[in-house]
Amino acid sequence: MTTLHLCIATGQNAANFIPLKQLQAQNIWVLETPDMQKQQSAKALHMALKSALPEAQVRILPFDDSTPQAMQAAALQLACEELDGKNVIFHATGGTKLMVLAIHQQLLNLGSYRLLYADTAHQTLSWLDDEPRQEPMVDNVLTLNEQLLLRGYRSSNDTRPAHIQQRASERAKTTKFMGEKSAQLKGFLGTLNYHARHAADGKGLTCELNYLPRAQSPAGNVLELAQQQGLLTINEAYNQITFASTEIAEYFCGGWVEEYVFLKFTGTLPPSQYTLGVQLTQASSKTQNEIDGIAVANNRALIIECKAKKQDKAQDAIYKLGQLVRQVGGLMARGLYISAIEVSDTDRNRAKEYGVDVLAAEELADLSKYLRDWQNNPSTAKTRP
């Protein structure tokens, strides 16, 4: 007899999706309350399930939860008219406690019935039947695309094509040096950013510095590396640097931070687990959000925001990132704010409240370690207190 998996649509779809995919469910019914219908949660779950389990039969059924009497009547009708004679697994993770109890009470009368609870915080599946037991969620059940579908989003673009990787690789030495030595570079990165902004705005690719940094200093090494890689030329006689192109000027305006993240992600995470520089479209409202990066590991998401300019307000960016963490990643997601400029203790405390970690200034050198820690255990990755 085919097993029927019964679940309740919820705003946190991963709690339903992960066990359904792990168990390779082929017959799935999703109960949808009026509130969940407005949020289109069941529709988002359906889309993700059809992507992950293309042969599965997925049915969405309305469920009236307006009053205790309505819930009891709906549960009784479901059990007697729809589920009688079927082998049922009830996924009791979604819905209100009262709704779950009403359904559970009626399903107890079925000949074959088991209750399953998914605890995404502890990554476990708990069974309640004749032999109660607990088993772990399988690592990396949830893919990046499925994470987006579950939250009602689609990706409009993906910046992992070969030409992007090639461009980042060609100037990797300069990029990595600026990231790993950002503490020593301090004000010079701001100076470089300022002149690059003027060049990118069409005010001339050649700029005159008050003085050229001395050779073998961190700032001097940046310019030397950039010149060796054809990104700019140095005119020592006039204390001038000339950017190779407007695109290169944009790179020094802040694009290098995103490329630094790209290089570290490429060297740390499998390509299927992340995307960078992505535009997301929410299916229900057509609202678009630009996200510097999103990664998924051990069934949890990490949303990334990169900043390199002094004029960027950290508090605004951190607030926006905190909102995206909840909207795109869900309750178990974290945010990572990456800044070439130091972030104040006030803004760090605010970030902690929003579920956002911070890597700034000299901490950029710790990005690979952070990603490895997060990948191995997404709930315990740490940044500076």
Side-chain angles (χ1 to χ4, degrees), residues 191-209:
T191 299
L192 192 60
N193 181 298
Y194 171 81
H195 290 294
R197 183 73 272 161
H198 277 66
D201 289 343
K203 298 178 181 179
L205 296 177
T206 298
C207 61
E208 184 173 330
L209 305 180

Side-chain angles (χ1 to χ4, degrees), residues 266-316:
T266 301
T268 308
L269 301 177
S272 61
Q273 284 188 306
Y274 68 89
T275 184
L276 302 172
V278 63
Q279 187 174 74
L280 302 180
T281 302
Q282 192 170 36
S284 59
S285 64
K286 305 301 181 184
T287 301
Q288 292 188 333
N289 287 290
E290 292 186 4
I291 296 181
D292 289 336
I294 176 172
V296 172
N298 287 339
N299 306 318
R300 300 176 186 181
L302 179 70
I303 315 296
I304 301 103
E305 178 77 9
C306 305
K307 294 297 178 184
K309 307 172 188 176
K310 281 187 175 180
Q311 60 265 40
D312 288 328
K313 292 185 178 179
Q315 59 182 359
D316 294 341

Side-chain angles (χ1 to χ4, degrees), residues 61-365:
L61 296 84
F63 191 95
D64 185 356
D65 68 339
S66 57
T67 66
Q69 293 81 1
M71 282 187 279
Q72 188 173 40
L76 179 61
Q77 181 180 11
L78 177 70
C80 295
E81 299 181 13
E82 300 277 3
L83 300 176
D84 188 32
K86 292 182 171 61
N87 180 19
V88 177
I89 294 177
F90 177 35
H91 295 245
T93 311
T96 63
K97 291 180 180 179
L98 194 57
M99 183 176 174
V100 169
L101 287 172
I103 296 171
H104 172 65
Q105 184 179 41
Q106 297 303 325
L107 296 184
L108 286 172
N109 297 319
L110 299 179
S112 178
Y113 163 59
R114 289 180 291 168
L115 184 144
L116 174 64
Y117 181 81
D119 185 343
T120 52
H122 297 94
Q123 297 284 286
T124 58
L125 302 181
S126 297
W127 295 88
L128 184 62
D129 50 25
D130 293 337
E131 297 181 2
R133 67 191 187 281
Q134 189 176 80
E135 62 184 88
M137 284 183 179
V138 174
D139 293 342
N140 299 319
V141 172
L142 187 63
T143 68
L144 175 60
N145 183 58
E146 291 160 359
Q147 168 68 39
L148 296 177
L149 289 174
L150 285 173
R151 304 300 298 175
Y153 286 91
R154 291 185 178 276
S155 172
S156 301
N157 66 307
D158 185 337
T159 58
R160 287 177 296 161
H163 73 280
I164 298 293
Q165 177 129 14
Q166 180 179 353
R167 186 179 67 185
S169 298
E170 287 172 354
R171 51 201 188 201
K173 287 184 179 179
T174 302
T175 302
K176 289 182 177 179
F177 188 89
M178 286 193 290
E180 293 168 0
K181 302 294 183 182
S182 57
Q184 293 95 314
L185 291 167
K186 292 185 178 179
F188 183 72
L189 286 179
T191 299
L192 192 60
N193 181 298
Y194 171 81
H195 290 294
R197 183 73 272 161
H198 277 66
D201 289 343
K203 298 178 181 179
L205 296 177
T206 298
C207 61
E208 184 173 330
L209 305 180
N210 292 331
Y211 62 91
L212 287 175
R214 58 183 177 81
Q216 304 307 313
S217 68
N221 287 336
V222 166
L223 294 182
E224 185 60 33
L225 277 172
Q227 181 166 254
Q228 290 174 6
Q229 296 190 285
L231 305 179
L232 53 77
T233 55
I234 304 170
N235 186 330
E236 295 184 0
Y238 294 95
N239 289 339
Q240 291 177 337
I241 58 173
T242 301
F243 298 104
S245 66
T246 301
E247 187 272 327
I248 295 298
E250 289 284 358
Y251 162 81
F252 282 108
C253 282
W256 71 268
V257 177
E258 295 182 14
E259 288 196 12
Y260 177 73
V261 173
F262 182 92
L263 291 167
K264 293 298 183 179
F265 269 65
T266 301
T268 308
L269 301 177
S272 61
Q273 284 188 306
Y274 68 89
T275 184
L276 302 172
V278 63
Q279 187 174 74
L280 302 180
T281 302
Q282 192 170 36
S284 59
S285 64
K286 305 301 181 184
T287 301
Q288 292 188 333
N289 287 290
E290 292 186 4
I291 296 181
D292 289 336
I294 176 172
V296 172
N298 287 339
N299 306 318
R300 300 176 186 181
L302 179 70
I303 315 296
I304 301 103
E305 178 77 9
C306 305
K307 294 297 178 184
K309 307 172 188 176
K310 281 187 175 180
Q311 60 265 40
D312 288 328
K313 292 185 178 179
Q315 59 182 359
D316 294 341
I318 288 170
Y319 173 77
K320 176 187 174 184
L321 178 56
Q323 296 301 305
L324 289 174
V325 168
R326 290 292 176 260
Q327 293 168 8
V328 180
L331 290 177
M332 301 311 300
R334 293 209 57 83
L336 177 60
Y337 181 74
I338 300 173
S339 172
I341 309 302
E342 185 54 86
V343 174
S344 70
D345 289 340
T346 299
D347 287 332
R348 285 178 181 272
N349 290 333
R350 182 176 291 108
K352 188 181 298 184
E353 294 174 4
Y354 296 148
V356 172
D357 297 323
V358 175
L359 290 176
E362 67 268 19
E363 297 166 340
L364 291 182

Side-chain angles (χ1 to χ4, degrees), residues 20-32:
L20 289 169
K21 183 180 177 184
Q22 181 170 328
L23 298 172
Q24 291 293 292
Q26 292 301 303
N27 191 10
I28 303 165
W29 289 7
V30 183
L31 301 180
E32 181 183 54

